[in-house]
Amino acid sequence: MAVLVVFLLVVGALAVWALVDPQSAWRASQGGMFRDASTIRLSGFGATAQRIVATVVLVIVIVTLVNL
């Protein structure tokens, strides 16, 4: 059970990071695919989609933690 709680807290922290700064979260997760990641920017639609997904994930994490 403790492993599940730690996992959910880590996923929740990553979701908050994606909500607060989607560009930074994208660069950390996908930036290594590009030769010069500093010149590649996340599109406005990509940032919005990432925020929506992060919100859904955060709600799922909170509901799961409350129901444990």
Side-chain angles (χ1 to χ4, degrees):
M1 178 89 98
V3 174
L4 177 63
V5 171
V6 170
F7 175 75
L8 289 172
L9 290 175
V10 169
V11 170
L14 292 173
V16 169
W17 180 23
L19 266 172
V20 172
D21 190 6
Q23 179 70 32
S24 170
W26 176 84
R27 185 167 291 144
S29 65
Q30 304 292 321
M33 292 186 208
F34 302 100
R35 191 171 293 192
D36 187 10
S38 63
T39 61
I40 306 294
R41 303 267 317 154
L42 184 62
S43 68
F45 176 76
T48 303
Q50 190 165 349
R51 282 190 170 123
I52 291 170
V53 170
T55 303
V56 170
V57 168
L58 198 56
V59 168
I60 291 170
V61 166
I62 290 170
V63 168
T64 304
L65 285 172
V66 166
N67 289 323
L68 283 180

